[in-house]
Amino acid sequence: MTEQALHAVAPPRRRLSFLDRYLTLWIFLAMLLGVGLGWAFSGLPEFIQRWSVGTTNIPIAIGLIVMMYPPLAKVKYEELGDVFRDWKILGISLVQNWLIGPIVMFFLAIAFLHNYPEYMVGLIMIGLARCIAMVIVWNQLAKGDTEYAAGLVAFNSVFQVLFYSLFAWIFVTKLPPLFGLHGIAVDVSIGQIAKSVFIYLGIPFLAGMLTRYLGLKYKGREWYEQKFIPRISPLTLVALLFTIFVMFSLKGDLIVQLPLDVVRIAVPLVIYFAIMFFVSFWMGRRIGADYSKTATLSFTAASNNFELAIAVTVAVFGLNSGQAFAAVIGPLIEVPVMIGLVSVALWMGRRYWGMTDDPLPVTVAAGCAEVGCGPLDGSTGRAGTTETRAKDD
């Protein structure tokens, strides 16, 4: 293979966009800006809350829908059937999300917050709300399997509509008295949950499916994957920064006024994210899953549907309740932790699966036959390193 071909196959880091290269910095700046403005301008949270319909905040809903649209437009829906054929990963995901996750969060909540029952209940409600939204973004940043992410998220959506009310009744009303704590009745209907799931997942899911169907039908796969997708991809990160800014500005004053309470809620949350993430990675390796599927399994298990948790706690306990405050703190902790875990996942991919730092671009992959790239790495689904390909040649 020629030296020019090797350089073509191994894309340098400078090809990353300015927004991508310093993503972590932008996220922390959006967080700080939101907290600072929310604290300095007391009318800002009230102004943002004014744009709400029921328990749905329109700016946050728009931000989340736009944020999720590009990743869901990339999903190869015609290949989703493969997701449901691998019962090992699907079974582990369901056990992690609907058995281990709620139980781990329940015991962390009563261990750390039994003297703060409102915060304890808010944390439990977060643990019951399995992620259906931002996990799509974390999975994309960590180079996980988009089709598996879409399939697992679809399963979580159905389970939430069917079982969230039942789980809330069990974990918040019935289980606490067994440990000497007071149970609290949670009255939430299947209709409320279905509405939240449709807004935050159904709309971008339908938009992504329709876009892919029409794009492939009328413009062709090459135009859709090499021209259209790259154009809409930046929307994800821009909408993510906007959503983070809005969420942090809503509670900026409380975060400044009650920093110790934020820490009390943050500690069990961080422990929860770490446990779910690393246990899932370990389980993925044990069953022989490749990196992309293991990363997807880990992020779907570690993330939570904070939109649903916030909507339910506000509807049941009130906007100014301790339960709602704990639910809002959830995503404020989850965002920076997940960003950190994205870096950890990529490091583990390089360490244990031999994954390269940069994904193979679509245009390079399409031309591999012409320049003699050699076979894709079987464990990662991507071409191997430059050195490996050079040896193969």
Side-chain angles (χ1 to χ4, degrees):
M1 183 186 292
T2 65
E3 184 178 351
Q4 291 85 352
L6 284 174
H7 285 300
V9 173
R13 280 194 176 274
R14 65 175 178 271
R15 290 187 182 180
L16 290 174
S17 70
F18 184 68
L19 185 62
D20 287 330
R21 193 178 305 127
Y22 301 106
L23 174 61
T24 304
L25 174 62
W26 308 141
I27 287 177
F28 278 102
L29 287 177
M31 291 163 54
L32 291 174
L33 184 62
V35 172
L37 293 180
W39 171 71
F41 301 97
S42 58
L44 180 60
E46 183 180 347
F47 174 78
I48 296 175
Q49 286 287 7
R50 196 178 301 167
W51 297 88
S52 298
V53 176
T55 58
T56 302
N57 182 270
I58 295 175
I60 291 178
I62 292 174
L64 289 168
I65 290 169
V66 174
M67 176 186 71
M68 293 173 60
Y69 168 66
L72 289 172
K74 295 178 184 179
V75 172
K76 298 176 182 177
Y77 293 96
E78 62 274 16
E79 298 179 8
L80 275 182
D82 295 338
V83 175
F84 307 122
R85 294 191 188 100
D86 193 334
W87 286 99
K88 282 186 178 180
I89 293 181
L90 184 60
I92 288 176
S93 178
L94 293 179
V95 170
Q96 284 284 79
N97 276 287
W98 294 100
L99 182 62
I100 297 177
I103 291 175
V104 169
M105 187 70 92
F106 174 81
F107 281 108
L108 287 173
I110 63 174
F112 285 88
L113 298 171
H114 56 273
N115 291 327
Y116 302 87
E118 290 188 347
Y119 295 163
M120 182 190 74
V121 170
L123 206 65
I124 293 172
M125 298 294 283
I126 294 174
L128 301 179
R130 312 314 301 166
C131 194
I132 63 169
M134 293 185 79
V135 67
I136 298 290
V137 179
W138 310 137
N139 181 71
Q140 177 183 249
L141 294 175
K143 301 177 178 51
D145 190 306
T146 54
E147 283 70 48
Y148 262 83
L152 297 180
V153 160
F155 258 77
N156 279 345
S157 302
V158 174
F159 270 68
Q160 279 185 110
V161 171
L162 295 177
F163 298 116
Y164 188 84
S165 297
L166 174 63
F167 271 54
W169 176 73
I170 293 173
F171 281 88
V172 177
T173 305
K174 293 299 180 181
L175 287 184
L178 299 180
F179 297 88
L181 303 168
H182 292 293
I184 300 175
V186 178
D187 183 18
V188 54
S189 69
I190 291 178
Q192 288 175 295
I193 300 168
K195 176 184 176 182
S196 177
V197 170
F198 175 75
I199 291 173
Y200 298 117
L201 178 66
I203 292 175
F205 229 128
L206 292 174
M209 292 179 65
L210 184 61
T211 300
R212 183 172 181 84
Y213 172 76
L214 295 177
L216 294 181
K217 182 177 181 180
Y218 293 106
K219 301 293 289 187
R221 185 178 298 272
E222 182 178 354
W223 174 87
Y224 185 82
E225 293 184 349
Q226 298 184 23
K227 293 185 178 180
F228 178 72
I229 291 297
R231 288 176 184 170
I232 66 171
S233 291
L235 289 175
T236 294
L237 301 184
V238 173
L240 173 63
L241 296 176
F242 169 77
T243 306
I244 290 171
F245 166 77
V246 173
M247 289 192 304
F248 275 68
S249 64
L250 282 172
K251 294 296 180 181
D253 55 341
L254 284 177
I255 292 173
V256 174
Q257 294 172 18
L258 303 171
L260 291 180
D261 285 17
V262 173
V263 173
R264 288 189 183 98
I265 297 169
V267 170
L269 277 171
V270 171
I271 296 173
Y272 168 84
F273 295 139
I275 290 174
M276 297 301 294
F277 178 83
F278 287 107
V279 168
S280 299
F281 243 97
W282 176 79
M283 294 176 74
R285 285 205 75 205
R286 282 296 299 268
I287 65 171
D290 64 21
Y291 167 77
S292 63
K293 293 182 178 64
T294 301
T296 299
L297 177 67
S298 300
F299 281 102
T300 51
S303 302
N304 292 90
N305 182 3
F306 60 81
E307 305 92 348
L308 176 60
I310 292 172
V312 171
T313 53
V314 168
V316 175
F317 303 106
L319 180 61
N320 297 317
S321 65
Q323 292 89 339
F325 178 71
V328 170
I329 295 302
L332 307 190
I333 304 304
E334 178 174 326
V335 169
V337 171
M338 288 298 140
I339 287 296
L341 290 178
V342 166
S343 298
V344 172
L346 293 172
W347 177 85
M348 294 177 74
R350 294 191 296 270
R351 175 69 175 81
Y352 297 108
W353 282 270
M355 189 185 75
T356 55
D357 286 342
D358 298 303
L360 193 66
V362 175
T363 52
V364 175
C368 267
E370 298 180 10
V371 300
C373 296
L376 293 177
D377 184 302
S379 65
T380 65
R382 295 184 176 87
T385 62
T386 301
E387 292 78 7
T388 301
R389 287 188 295 269
K391 290 177 183 178
D392 291 340
D393 289 340

